[in-house]
Structure formats: C-alpha cells, structure tokens
Amino acid sequence: MPSPSTKQRQSGARKEPTPKTPNQDGSIASSNHSSQSRVSFDFSNVDGLANSFPTPGIVRSGASSTSHGRLPDEKGFSIQIGSELFKLSGASIMSDAPSYFSSFFIEQLQQTDGTNAAVRTLFIDRDPETFREIARHLQGYLVMPKDGRDFVRLFADAQFYRLPRLQTYLFESDIFVEVGDQHFRVPRDIFSSPGDTPNYFTLGFTVFFSSPGDAFPGLNPRDLLRPPAIHPPHIPNRSPQVFAEILHMLRGYPLTIRNEDHRSQLLKDVRYYSLRGLEQKLIPHTITHNAARQVSEIVIRLEDIKPSQICISKDGDSSTSSSQTGQDSGWVTYARPFVDEEQYQLILQTNDVVSLDLNTMRLTLFGSAKSRLKRLFETVANKLNLPVTAPLGLRMMAAEGAKVQPQASEITSLGEEKIKVCIDSDTHVILDGEDYDLDQEHLENPQHYSGATTSSTIRADEQPRKRRRADSTAEVKPQQVIWTVNSSQWRLRLQPRIATASDEVEGSPTESPPEIILVAVKLDVTSSQKARNTQRSFLSA
C-alpha cells in the first residue's frame, strides 16, 4: 500500500496511521473519527453458483479482485448513484470495510501510485434515495427503516455494496412485516419461547432469518451486477388487529379473552402462524387443586389433547409412569406441551353428542369424538406396552335384533365405539335442564333414569337388572333407558378388568389385561326427544 501523496505530507496534513495487515479471515481494523472496531466478513463460504442463476442482468460476467488496505481519512471520494452525486471521505468509506467502495478506491490509488492524479468517480446504477440512508450509516448515523419496503431496499443494497457492518445490523434488527394493510415491526427474539419456532415467519421469510453469507443462496455477492428483487414480507389475508394482540402476548403480557369468538379468532391465526407454544396457552382449559382428592387437575377439551403428552399415575404414587404392568391401577394424567412442567390428573371434556345406555353402562361415540378417543386409548395401550387389541374399555355390543354372542367374544379392538363408563355419587348430572341428584334407590334400578330420578353409583361391570316376574312362568325384559349426552366431563381410570363367568373357559388366561373406564364428573343430558325439543330455539327472523 503506497503512503499518502507528497503534497499531503508537505501541506501539513494529518499523518496517516500505519496500514493494517489483513488478518487470516480477511478482516482489517477499521478506523472511525472516534473509535476503532474490528469487522469481519468472509465470502469464502458462499458457493460459486452464480452463473446458473436464471434471471438475466443479475450476475456480472467476471469477478473483480479486491486489494486490502486503507483510504486517506480526509480525502474525498465521489460516488454517483443513479442521477445523484455523493462525496464521502475515506474515513466514512472505511467505517464499514472491506466493501464495494473501499475496494474500488483502493485500487484507484494503487493505479495512481499515490500521486495527486484524479481518482475516477464511481458510478453505480442504483436507487439514490436508498443510498442516502447508506451514506448516513457510513457517516456514523443510526439507520432506521420506516417499513418493510425500506427494509428490503436497505437489505438488498447492503448485500450488493458488501457492507459487513450494515449487513450484520440488518440481520440482527427487527423484521418489518405488513399484515393486511398495517405495518408491524417484529423483534427477532420474540419467537424465543418454547414451541414458537420454527413458525410461519422463520420458514416463510427464510432470507431474513438466515446469515449474511447466505442471503442469496447460490450467488456470490462479489459477482452480482445487481441483487435480485426481494418482496417485502406481506400477509394479506390475516387480520392486523388479531396480529397486534398476538404480538402483545408474545411479548409476555396477559390478554383478556373477551368471549369465545375472540378466543376462536386468536387460535385460528396462532395456528396459521404455527406458534404452537402460544396455542397451548390459548386453548380453553382450567388447572385447579382438588383438596378432597389431594391432586391437581386439568380440564381440557378432547380435541385439544395431544396423545403424546399422556401419562399414567399409579394409585398411591404422585409420580407418573409411562410403562406399568397390566394389573396396576391409576389415573390418566396430562401436561400441555411447551407450557406445563408437571402432570395433572386429566378431566377431558367433549361437547359432541354421545349416547349413554344406562342398562349396560356403555357410551356410544360418533364421528370425530370416536376417532379422537380411539387415538387416546391407543396411546395408553402403548404406554402400558400392550397390543392395541387389548380391551381398554371398548366393547362390541350386539346390534339390535342380532343374535347375542357370549361376552368373551364381545371383546374387540380399540376401533369399536362403545366404552365402559361409571357414574357415582360425586357426578353432577343436569337432566333435561335441571340439576339431578343421585340416590341409592335408583342406583338399583336404572329404569328410573327415564326422567324422574337417578342413582348413587352405577358400575360399568354390573349386569342390567331385570324386572320382577309378572307370573311364575314368564320374565319381562327390562326397559332400555338411553340418555343423550350433550356435554360431558370424564376422568380416565385404569384398573384390572373384572373377570366374568364367561371368561372362565378352557384356554382363557388367568389374568385379564387392564381396562380403562370413563368416570363421569359432569353430565348435561336429555332423557327423551321431547326434552331435547324443549331445549331447541327458533332461528332469528
């Protein structure tokens, strides 16, 4: 690197610092008016695939070499961007070097051999308005993009001019995104909570979440005639008001859910943006401590349960286990992924209409509720190292009019739709819109459930009671009593299966696999079609 010109030394100009020797990684110590900082930028890790880029006018035909060195701090250098002429000092240009500008002017000085010969003006056909912000950055001012459009223009030109410090600043700065017709500034670290990454932004706008060397994959920044166009992040089909509330929650602030429609809007967009951690905080649930049972409980909807989070808590042991022996008894527990650090006894809620046969104490599920509960039971079977054909509470009941098969042959796989249930004295029942008390008298005769009273405890393993004989020779079959369950909450109980007389056949195992029964916590039921029609309302006119 030649020393400053003779005229500068004779005129008493400030003595230039000794040129710095480039480091092994290509960085040099850059000097500003007030301080020195070390800036490093390595182009060696960018693949040289620029010639395969399909867009014309992007790739330069030949790469130019760059000589490392310094520019005189007080010497002015002319740069014409488009139709406007800019003049920057050597100190300003070297404040973010090595760069496109420093390489060009250092080469010019080397060609003049340090004399006073005029240095050519650098002409670049780019946007002068954007370069104005870059010039301010080189002069030491903080550059702040106004919106997404300003950001991508600065982002692209910082790559093109190879300004390492500006590139680093933009890669570490906030992301500007337009949702609907409103602009937002999104901090990069706002997605740091568990479950919130990867998401729509880190996957959909990958270029803004990469590294400076990978901004344009497959292109060598040195060979760009001009950078490819970058579209500002824009999400046109989402609500800006809902997005503002999502950002509010991501910043750690609580948000008051106004109603279920409001919650539904938030969940819809949170799932759209793939913010799984925030989704678990928004789903309807309650976590309380049950002092009478000495356990903490979580009430959550069946459709919101992630089967992978299911565990089994043995009786007499507060810890959970994912693998138990077949004869262990206990309760199913649950913890929301990314949010809960401990397991809670599970109370699942379903708002799907199901049918409850009080004579057999079997629950019949339909549609999505059936498939979801099937997956839940399969998960429990896997946790217990049991085959999915184990009778975890599911039975195939004989169809109406079909020949009744022996009970041993009724045991089928988890795909069947009838599930054993238990109703006890702690169950809260709302029958036909009114609170319904359970008592012992009606426990002994399920037919009283047809609309007047209920019982204290009805076990799933009890056989339907028959009416008294009308005479000495004939026996009257019990009347079938079926409830339509509109909404319900259930605990999941794991217990050894109660063997029956029909199980004691030759070749049957001495021990039966465990079973799961649904223990009713709260039921909202109707006992007849008339009661169901009473609860209907007319559509608005």
Side-chain angles (χ1 to χ4, degrees):
M1 172 72 190
S3 59
S5 64
T6 307
K7 182 177 180 180
Q8 286 179 322
R9 291 196 300 267
Q10 292 176 352
S11 60
R14 187 178 54 172
K15 183 178 180 182
E16 296 297 331
T18 304
K20 301 292 190 297
T21 302
N23 297 314
Q24 293 180 354
D25 60 356
S27 64
I28 63 172
S30 60
S31 173
N32 204 337
H33 293 289
S34 57
S35 63
Q36 290 187 347
S37 61
R38 182 170 295 277
V39 181
S40 174
F41 188 70
D42 185 8
F43 295 105
S44 61
N45 63 340
V46 181
D47 295 332
L49 303 177
N51 293 330
S52 62
F53 195 82
T55 306
I58 297 295
V59 181
R60 189 189 306 277
S61 58
S64 61
S65 61
T66 300
S67 299
H68 296 286
R70 286 203 54 82
L71 296 175
D73 286 348
E74 296 180 353
K75 183 175 179 60
F77 298 90
S78 299
I79 304 173
Q80 183 166 347
I81 306 296
S83 59
E84 294 191 24
L85 182 65
F86 296 84
K87 197 159 188 177
L88 295 173
S89 67
S92 294
I93 293 175
M94 295 304 298
S95 68
D96 197 351
S99 66
Y100 190 100
F101 311 113
S102 64
S103 300
F104 177 83
F105 290 116
I106 287 175
E107 184 178 355
Q108 290 290 304
L109 288 179
Q110 288 177 338
Q111 291 176 358
T112 61
D113 197 23
T115 64
N116 292 333
V119 176
R120 288 193 299 120
T121 298
L122 174 61
F123 173 78
I124 303 175
D125 188 16
R126 296 295 289 171
D127 177 34
E129 183 178 351
T130 303
F131 188 78
R132 239 181 245 111
E133 295 298 312
I134 293 177
R136 292 191 181 98
H137 159 74
L138 294 174
Q139 291 167 343
Y141 296 99
L142 179 64
V143 175
M144 188 69 64
K146 303 180 184 66
D147 52 29
R149 182 172 299 179
D150 281 351
F151 179 85
V152 297
R153 287 177 177 176
L154 271 175
F155 183 90
D157 279 7
Q159 306 298 317
F160 176 68
Y161 298 136
R162 306 198 299 270
L163 298 167
R165 198 159 56 88
L166 182 57
Q167 290 179 71
T168 302
Y169 167 74
L170 292 175
F171 269 101
E172 294 176 354
S173 68
D174 301 340
I175 291 297
F176 293 82
V177 61
E178 184 178 3
V179 179
D181 57 353
Q182 188 172 342
H183 293 273
F184 292 89
R185 184 175 177 176
V186 182
R188 290 175 182 267
D189 59 355
I190 203 169
F191 305 119
S192 58
S193 298
D196 290 338
T197 301
N199 55 56
Y200 178 91
F201 303 96
T202 59
L203 296 177
F205 305 118
T206 310
V207 65
F208 303 115
F209 290 88
S210 57
S211 61
D214 297 327
F216 304 121
L219 296 178
N220 190 333
R222 289 177 169 274
D223 295 338
L224 291 179
L225 182 62
R226 59 174 59 88
I230 304 175
H231 194 280
H234 184 209
I235 309 172
N237 57 344
R238 297 288 106 182
S239 167
Q241 291 77 22
V242 174
F243 186 70
E245 293 177 326
I246 291 175
L247 290 181
H248 184 76
M249 289 183 288
L250 287 173
R251 292 187 177 101
Y253 293 98
L255 181 69
T256 301
I257 306 297
R258 297 187 291 271
N259 49 50
E260 287 307 310
D261 288 339
H262 183 212
R263 186 192 300 275
S264 177
Q265 292 175 1
L266 289 170
L267 280 171
K268 179 181 178 180
D269 278 14
V270 162
R271 287 165 179 156
Y272 181 86
Y273 298 129
S274 299
L275 301 172
R276 296 174 297 163
L278 185 57
E279 175 191 1
Q280 292 300 314
K281 297 177 183 179
L282 282 173
I283 59 175
H285 71 282
T286 58
I287 297 177
T288 56
H289 181 74
N290 189 328
R293 298 172 62 89
Q294 291 298 304
V295 294
S296 294
E297 302 169 332
I298 180 170
V299 182
I300 191 170
R301 299 181 305 187
L302 177 60
E303 58 266 31
D304 293 327
I305 294 177
K306 303 295 184 183
S308 60
Q309 299 298 115
I310 290 292
C311 286
I312 308 297
S313 177
K314 294 191 299 183
D315 291 338
D317 186 3
S318 58
S319 63
T320 58
S321 175
S322 60
S323 178
Q324 306 293 344
T325 61
Q327 295 301 321
D328 284 337
S329 300
W331 300 90
V332 173
T333 62
Y334 184 74
R336 293 172 298 160
F338 313 115
V339 178
D340 294 331
E341 297 180 355
E342 61 177 301
Q343 293 279 329
Y344 304 100
Q345 192 171 111
L346 175 63
I347 299 178
L348 66 86
Q349 174 177 318
T350 175
N351 297 321
D352 296 321
V353 176
V354 297
S355 178
L356 176 59
D357 189 336
L358 294 176
N359 298 78
T360 61
M361 295 309 295
R362 297 294 191 274
L363 193 69
T364 304
L365 297 156
F366 309 97
S368 60
K370 173 184 173 181
S371 60
R372 290 188 183 110
L373 202 59
K374 174 186 174 182
R375 288 195 299 269
L376 185 62
F377 279 25
E378 287 176 345
T379 301
V380 175
N382 292 331
K383 298 274 186 185
L384 297 171
N385 296 323
L386 295 174
V388 294
T389 55
L392 288 174
L394 301 181
R395 298 291 185 271
M396 177 178 66
M397 306 303 295
E400 184 178 357
K403 182 179 178 180
V404 178
Q405 302 294 328
Q407 185 172 355
S409 64
E410 293 175 357
I411 302 174
T412 59
S413 67
L414 293 172
E416 302 304 329
E417 58 194 32
K418 298 207 172 187
I419 304 174
K420 298 175 71 173
V421 300
C422 171
I423 301 177
D424 57 26
S425 57
D426 292 330
T427 304
H428 178 213
V429 179
I430 304 174
L431 180 63
D432 299 335
E434 298 181 357
D435 287 349
Y436 202 55
D437 293 329
L438 302 174
D439 56 65
Q440 183 65 27
E441 176 184 357
H442 298 94
L443 159 68
E444 298 177 355
N445 193 347
Q447 298 168 49
H448 288 280
Y449 281 101
S450 57
T453 55
T454 56
S455 70
S456 175
T457 304
I458 300 181
R459 298 293 180 186
D461 53 338
E462 291 183 356
Q463 298 296 322
R465 296 179 178 271
K466 300 180 179 178
R467 291 184 176 179
R468 294 183 177 180
R469 296 173 181 265
D471 51 48
S472 58
T473 60
E475 186 177 272
V476 180
K477 292 184 178 180
Q479 178 185 1
Q480 188 178 27
V481 181
I482 296 179
W483 274 353
T484 299
V485 183
N486 303 312
S487 299
S488 54
Q489 292 180 350
W490 310 87
R491 289 188 179 92
L492 276 71
R493 173 72 177 168
L494 178 69
Q495 64 182 27
R497 179 171 171 264
I498 299 176
T500 61
S502 58
D503 292 326
E504 299 175 0
V505 296
E506 186 177 354
S508 297
T510 56
E511 291 186 358
S512 300
E515 64 181 357
I516 284 184
I517 62 174
L518 298 181
V519 180
V521 176
K522 187 179 182 71
L523 303 175
D524 181 5
V525 301
T526 53
S527 60
S528 64
Q529 188 62 36
K530 181 178 179 180
R532 179 177 174 82
N533 292 338
T534 302
Q535 296 180 4
R536 296 181 186 272
S537 59
F538 291 102
L539 300 176
S540 57

